[in-house]
Amino acid sequence: MKEKIILGIETSCDDTSIALLSGEPGPSISSPKILAHQSFSQELLLQKWGGVVPEIAARNHLEKITPLLDSCFKEAGLTISAIDAIAVTTHPGLLGPLLTGINCAKTLSLLTKKPIISVNHLYAHLEAIHLTKQVTYPYIGLLVSGGHSLYLKVSSPKHFEILGNTIDDAAGEAFDKGGKLLGLGYPAGKIIDELSLNGNAQKYSFPVSHLNTDEAMLSFSGVKTSLRNFIEKNPKDSYLIEDVCASYQEAIVKALDLKLKKAIEISSSESLPIVVGGGVACNSHLRAVLSAHFKNVSFVAPKYCTDNGAMVANYALRIFDDALPFPKCLELDARGQYVSKKEKLDQQRKGQTL
Ligand code: KG4
Ligand code: ZN
């Protein structure tokens, strides 16, 4: 099929990110070409609050989205008439921030008559592997971000089966909340990763939950409480922050590693490729441990791990036949979040929402 140009819009949390890319629609064997990709991260603004404040994040998206769009089209040397579809993260995410991107996509669609492709943020994170590398289906996906930790079997760009989930916090949340307890700033994943490079991961023992269960089930509330207890019991000058970070990170990575083995067992497909994506997939220790234990593992390139517009446009290209003109393209699901018509039907069939 003829190459298509996709505009990707991502505003599900605290990154406003826009991309323009071109490529062959469908699960193509070659990576798409990035024509422009620009982001604004609210990290510095949100540091004051120690986390994401949805209302503030939404207002910032509103402020940044139009200049970013403008600047991306300039970078690519294109006008809006050149695009074939508008891809937008519609779910899951924070309602206010999501609505900012969705309203922008709807407006552009109304003005230009270009179709919208509703993008599931989690699927886009994993499928971002194809921005730099071709991995064949089916594969086992480990999605580790600030809001989710999921093991999935991915049979096609549209078929994702959940093999395991977290019952409380996500891995990124464990990093961020742990970092907050240690006074490290927000988001703390990258800071803990860097400090850990000079720390002794065996110095302290933080718990790994559900060690002996056969499910690919994760839980990070225990390790967080254990860190809180450690900080309350030990005066600041009695430990090296690097050792605490390395030991805490060790417990999170150990859980993700052990439960990946369980997820593979559950899928009964030992030899499938494994793809790791989402913000926490940037973590150097996670990369080292999983690479040592699983020979067929690939990681999304670090620049496409945290929230970005390129992964949204890339995923939309892979499900291009879902493109529909507004307003037919978007449906509200049982949780009041926008999804595509196909995903709503899937949700009703499986009784599952992501
Ligand atoms: O995928 P993402 O940008 O946002 C969500 O969809 O949630 O992931 C953000 C998360 C944050 O929790 C952040 O602390 C974490 O990814 N993160 C890391 C690293 N870089 C980002 N966690 C551990 N090590 C890192 N190097
Ligand atoms: Zn994300």
Side-chain angles (χ1 to χ4, degrees), residues 12 121 125 145 305-307 311:
S12 67
H121 182 81
H125 263 306
S145 68
C305 276
T306 47
D307 294 348
M311 72 180 196

Side-chain angles (χ1 to χ4, degrees), residues 6-79:
I6 313 274
L7 167 67
I9 302 174
E10 162 60 39
T11 63
S12 67
C13 189
D14 54 355
D15 294 284
T16 322
S17 187
I18 305 290
L20 281 161
L21 56 75
S22 68
E24 213 183 300
S28 140
I29 47 159
S30 51
S31 296
K33 185 169 168 214
I34 309 276
L35 307 173
H37 191 201
Q38 297 191 18
S39 305
F40 175 79
S41 164
Q42 298 180 14
E43 270 175 30
L44 289 176
L45 301 170
L46 295 169
Q47 253 170 24
K48 181 174 155 200
W49 308 95
V52 187
V53 183
E55 180 73 5
I56 296 174
R59 281 165 204 246
N60 275 301
H61 288 310
L62 199 56
E63 211 173 281
K64 294 294 177 314
I65 200 161
T66 324
L68 275 176
L69 273 168
D70 210 27
S71 148
C72 266
F73 276 106
K74 281 203 182 95
E75 186 190 333
L78 296 174
T79 61

